[in-house]
Amino acid sequence: MKAVLLLAAMLILVPATLILSSCGGGGTGSNIVGPPRDNTPVVLQVNQPGIEVVADDRAVLDFSNAADGYISVLSYLEGIVVKVLVDVQSQGVQYQYTINNPGEYIIIPLSEGDGLYSVGVWQNTSGDQYSAVFAHEIDVILTDEFTPFLYPSQFVNFAYGDTSTTLSQQLVVGAVTDVDAINNIYRWVCENISYDMQKAATVASGYLPNNTNTIDTGEGICFDYAVLTASMLRAQRVPAKLVIGYAGTAYHAWMQVYSEESGMIFTYRFNGNDWVTMDPTFDAAAGGAVDLAQVIGDGSNYQPMFYY
């Protein structure tokens, strides 16, 4: 992904409904007194049972788990010169995924909710030319609307025992509610990850974040901020969407988070009914340097295109 967001630009890109404050201060979550919530990480396990499959000698699409919010695609085409794309279209939105490791399944969330999904697998033949491997349509009815944003996927990739999942458990010690847990994780990312300007200027197309690297280096671009935060929240059973689109004229990544509980995090208000837009890159960059209430726009700066 080309990450072109500049720190100066971030100080004017905020949603109208959310008057943001920096991560250096603000609310402390739900302020509810009670026993601590269970902070044991939960990583929903993906699998490929082979019950509903489309396949040939080049690739496999396993959509047995579509009701749980994800599908799996594997390519048998090996060799560094072979590029395989998975094209997913639903409700007028087109997603593309690259298979980087033939012989391993990639996990694709069904992030547009219920409805018809058209899935195509394409093999690169030369240059920007592709030939179809196969295509299939899946009529999806989700068991739970939140599961696409709780499972690990190709973009939001986490697992039991990895650095981000372990850190999520440490950060929410003592949290009473999910809003407290969100507060602790979000605050840590804002205060401990710095924006990497050099990486933003040089990152190659197709880049996928590595949470361990982001934590170990303490640096990242917007994609890294959003993926790390979403990964830790999902490990703590909090639905979190990775959102990619435009903030002003900059291609950008941010988040939407859901909690059934009510509470405040800085000036993000969780009412128990709606997804809340949060931008850890923005908040980390602000650092208390400006009065953000003076630069609130009308919300049109955020233009979501894709949800992962």
Side-chain angles (χ1 to χ4, degrees):
M1 166 186 291
K2 292 292 184 182
V4 296
L5 185 66
L6 300 178
L7 297 188
M10 286 190 291
L11 297 179
I12 61 171
L13 303 175
V14 293
T17 57
L18 303 172
I19 301 177
L20 309 185
S21 65
S22 76
C23 281
T28 57
S30 66
N31 294 319
I32 295 175
V33 177
R37 70 190 287 279
D38 183 3
N39 70 336
T40 305
V42 173
V43 180
L44 299 180
Q45 296 300 291
V46 297
N47 57 65
Q48 296 79 37
I51 298 171
E52 296 183 277
V53 172
V54 176
D56 68 2
D57 60 354
R58 294 171 292 175
V60 176
L61 163 64
D62 190 324
F63 57 100
S64 307
N65 299 297
D68 288 328
Y70 71 93
I71 58 176
S72 305
V73 181
L74 172 147
S75 169
Y76 295 119
L77 295 167
E78 298 189 8
I80 60 173
V81 297
V82 176
K83 184 177 182 181
V84 178
L85 292 180
V86 182
D87 181 87
V88 179
Q89 299 185 46
S90 180
Q91 303 183 44
V93 183
Q94 181 180 18
Y95 294 80
Q96 287 191 337
Y97 298 84
T98 301
I99 297 180
N100 297 311
N101 299 309
E104 297 180 9
Y105 278 99
I106 65 168
I107 308 303
I108 297 173
L110 300 174
S111 50
E112 295 299 317
D114 294 347
L116 191 66
Y117 288 75
S118 297
V119 182
V121 179
W122 298 79
Q123 174 189 353
N124 182 246
T125 53
S126 64
D128 59 357
Q129 301 298 308
Y130 286 81
S131 64
V133 176
F134 58 71
H136 188 70
E137 289 190 339
I138 309 168
D139 193 6
V140 174
I141 300 177
L142 295 175
T143 303
D144 185 326
E145 65 177 297
F146 298 111
T147 52
F149 310 108
L150 287 169
Y151 277 96
S153 66
Q154 187 189 41
F155 282 13
V156 185
N157 191 7
F158 59 102
Y160 278 117
D162 70 11
T163 306
S164 64
T165 301
T166 301
L167 180 59
S168 78
Q169 183 174 18
Q170 298 169 354
L171 293 176
V172 302
V173 169
V176 174
T177 69
D178 284 351
V179 174
D180 293 333
I182 297 167
N183 177 72
N184 293 358
I185 289 170
Y186 191 79
R187 178 186 293 274
W188 186 92
V189 172
C190 291
E191 293 180 346
N192 290 275
I193 306 299
S194 300
Y195 193 80
D196 189 337
M197 297 295 290
Q198 181 178 3
K199 185 176 184 179
T202 59
V203 65
S205 177
Y207 167 75
L208 293 175
N210 181 295
N211 287 327
T212 298
N213 184 66
T214 303
I215 294 169
D216 288 348
T217 63
E219 295 182 328
I221 57 176
C222 59
F223 202 8
D224 299 306
Y225 277 92
V227 167
L228 174 59
T229 311
S231 296
M232 290 198 287
L233 290 176
R234 291 186 189 186
Q236 288 298 318
R237 305 172 299 286
V238 175
K241 297 179 182 179
L242 166 66
V243 188
I244 294 177
Y246 283 89
T249 60
Y251 200 48
H252 186 42
W254 63 96
M255 303 165 49
Q256 290 182 358
V257 182
Y258 183 87
S259 171
E260 292 182 347
E261 299 161 345
S262 300
M264 293 286 294
I265 297 175
F266 312 118
T267 50
Y268 294 109
R269 181 181 296 277
F270 287 82
N271 61 17
N273 296 308
D274 301 308
W275 289 89
V276 174
T277 297
M278 306 181 78
D279 192 337
T281 314
F282 177 93
D283 279 340
V290 296
D291 179 2
L292 297 178
Q294 300 301 312
V295 293
I296 297 300
D298 63 1
S300 62
N301 283 318
Y302 282 96
Q303 302 172 53
M305 297 173 62
F306 307 108
Y307 298 92
Y308 297 94

